[in-house]
C-alpha cells in the first residue's frame, strides 16, 4: 500500500491510501480516519459509500465527519466509487462508467473486466482494513450518499449479521424503478431483472431481506427526490416488512455536501450508540 497523504486532525490521523486491487484489476484509492482512540486499541468502523461522480475525496474534504468520529472513537473508511485508469472503460454521461460503479459486480462486457465494486467493498477492502488497521470488525456500521446510499442499504440488507447499523443520505432506494438505476443495472448486469433485485433495497425487502432499523435523511429541495430517489417506496416497503425506519425530510436542503455535512454528526452519533460494546 502507498500512503498518498497523512494529516493530523482532531487528535487523530487522516490517511489517503492507494493499493493494488485484485477485485478490479486496477489501483484503488480509499481514505481512512483513525481517531485518537485507535492509538490505544481497536475501534468500531463506519463505512461510507459515495455517490455518482464522486471519489473518496468528496466526503474526505467536505463531509465534516472527523470531529464526531474523534468524539465517539469511530474509524471512518471511504472507498472510491469505481475503478480508475486508462485501461478502464468509461460510459456516456456522468451516471455510468467511471465514478458510477453502482456497487455491483458487472457481468456484461466490457465492464465485467474491472467493475467489481461489490466484491471490492464487501470482501477485499474489509479484509485489507482488518489486516492493516486497529479495527474491531465485530462492530461495523455502514452509510452512504445517493448511489452510495443505495450501496449501503443493499450491502447491509444482504449482510445483516455484519453491520450493527445502517443509514443513508438521499439514497436511490429502488434503482430498478428509476432512470439512474435502470441505466446502470441494465448496462452492468444485462436485461435479466431478477439479477437486478439483489441490488435494489426495496426489492430485497420485498423478497424477505431484513435489518432491525434504518435511518435515512433526504432534503425537500433535492432536485432528484421524486424521479431518482423516491423515498416513499422505501417507507412503504419498511412498513409492510416491519422494519423500523426513521425517515427525516429536511426542509430546504438539497442533494449536496452542504446537506450531508449538516447531518453527518447526527448519523455518526446514531451509529456510535449502536456500536457500543
Amino acid at each position: 500500500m502507498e500512503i498518498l497523504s497523512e494529516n493530523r486532525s482532531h487528535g487523530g490521523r487522516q490517511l489517503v491510501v492507494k493499493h493494488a486491487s485484485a477485485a478490479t484489476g486496477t489501483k484503488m484509492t480509499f481514505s481512512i480516519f483513525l481517531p485518537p482512540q485507535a492509538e490505544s486499541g481497536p475501534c468500531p468502523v463506519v463505512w461510507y459509500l459515495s455517490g455518482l461522480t464522486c471519489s473518496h475525496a468528496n466526503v474526505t474534504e467536505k463531509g465534516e465527519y472527523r470531529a464526531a468520529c474523534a468524539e465517539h472513537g469511530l474509524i471512518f473508511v471511504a472507498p472510491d466509487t469505481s475503478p480508475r485508469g486508462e485501461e478502464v472503460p468509461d460510459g456516456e454521461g456522468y451516471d455510468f462508467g467511471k465514478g458510477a460503479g453502482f456497487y455491483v459486480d458487472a457481468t456484461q462486457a466490457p465492464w465485467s473486466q474491472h467493475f467489481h465494486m461489490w466484491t471490492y467493498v464487501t470482501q477485499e477492502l474489509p479484509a485489507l482494513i482488518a489486516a492493516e488497521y486497529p479495527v474491531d470488525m465485530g462492530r461495523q456500521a455502514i452509510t452512504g450518499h445517493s448511489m452510495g446510499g443505495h450501496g449501503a442499504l443493499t450491502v447491509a440488507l444482504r449482510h445483516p449479521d455484519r453491520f450493527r447499523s445502517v443509514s443513508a443520505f438521499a439514497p436511490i432506494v429502488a434503482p430498478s424503478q428509476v432512470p439512474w438505476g435502470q441505466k446502470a443495472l441494465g448496462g452492468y448486469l444485462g436485461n435479466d431483472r431478477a439479477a437486478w433485485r439483489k441490488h435494489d433495497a426495496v426489492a430485497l425487502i420485498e423478497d424477505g431481506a431484513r435489518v432491525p432499523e434504518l435511518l435515512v435523511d433526504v432534503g425537500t429541495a433535492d432536485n432528484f427526490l421524486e424521479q431518482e430517489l423516491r423515498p416513499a417506496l422505501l417507507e412503504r416497503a419498511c412498513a409492510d416488512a416491519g422494519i423500523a425506519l426513521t425517515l427525516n425530510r429536511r426542509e430546504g436542503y438539497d442533494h449536496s455536501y452542504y446537506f450531508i455535512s449538516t447531518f453527518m454528526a447526527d448519523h455518526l452519533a446514531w451509529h456510535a450508540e449502536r456500536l457500543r460494546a
Side-chain angles (χ1 to χ4, degrees):
M1 295 196 301
E2 177 188 0
I3 297 177
L4 300 180
S5 65
E6 179 173 351
N7 298 93
R8 198 75 175 168
S9 181
H10 294 279
R13 294 188 297 145
Q14 177 66 64
L15 306 176
V16 176
V17 181
K18 180 180 286 189
H19 71 104
S21 168
T24 67
T26 66
K27 298 279 189 168
M28 294 294 291
T29 302
F30 65 89
S31 76
I32 179 169
F33 177 70
L34 300 168
Q37 295 89 333
E39 296 180 6
S40 302
C43 292
V45 59
V46 177
W47 304 91
Y48 178 91
L49 303 184
S50 295
L52 288 167
T53 76
C54 293
S55 70
H56 71 282
N58 298 75
V59 70
T60 305
E61 297 169 3
K62 297 184 286 189
E64 299 184 20
Y65 56 84
R66 280 172 285 270
C69 286
E71 176 185 354
H72 299 295
L74 303 174
I75 292 173
F76 190 97
V77 180
D80 202 347
T81 53
S82 78
R84 310 274 181 176
E86 293 182 2
E87 73 278 19
V88 177
D90 202 3
E92 293 184 4
Y94 68 92
D95 53 356
F96 190 75
K98 292 180 183 178
F102 257 81
Y103 304 103
V104 304
D105 282 350
T107 59
Q108 305 300 299
W111 318 105
S112 57
Q113 182 176 357
H114 296 293
F115 280 73
H116 299 151
M117 290 303 296
W118 180 266
T119 295
Y120 180 72
V121 299
T122 66
Q123 298 179 31
E124 184 176 31
L125 186 59
L128 184 152
I129 296 295
E132 297 291 337
Y133 299 102
V135 175
D136 181 351
M137 297 299 279
R139 294 188 289 162
Q140 298 186 63
I142 190 166
T143 187
H145 170 233
S146 194
M147 178 185 72
H150 137 76
L153 294 176
T154 57
V155 168
L157 284 164
R158 289 175 58 183
H159 298 86
D161 297 331
R162 182 183 299 186
F163 301 98
R164 292 196 184 183
S165 54
V166 54
S167 74
F169 300 90
I172 306 168
V173 304
S176 299
Q177 301 185 51
V178 302
W180 275 345
Q182 291 166 348
K183 180 177 179 178
L185 297 181
Y188 292 134
L189 303 178
N191 295 325
D192 180 7
R193 285 182 170 256
W196 296 14
R197 295 186 71 81
K198 296 189 300 182
H199 296 285
D200 181 311
V202 167
L204 283 166
I205 293 169
E206 291 174 348
D207 293 344
R210 296 290 182 269
V211 292
E213 58 182 337
L214 294 171
L215 171 63
V216 173
D217 276 35
V218 297
T220 62
D222 191 320
N223 291 336
F224 306 112
L225 188 63
E226 297 304 324
Q227 180 170 324
E228 303 287 2
L229 308 182
R230 302 185 66 184
L233 295 177
L234 181 66
E235 197 169 29
R236 186 181 313 136
C238 286
D240 291 344
I243 295 173
L245 169 65
T246 300
L247 176 58
N248 297 314
R249 292 178 170 88
R250 304 295 189 177
E251 187 67 30
Y253 283 88
D254 59 18
H255 199 70
S256 72
Y257 270 88
Y258 295 108
F259 157 63
I260 299 165
S261 63
T262 300
F263 301 104
M264 177 67 82
D266 293 344
H267 278 238
L268 291 173
W270 184 84
H271 286 295
E273 184 177 349
R274 286 148 183 80
L275 290 168
R276 291 194 181 103

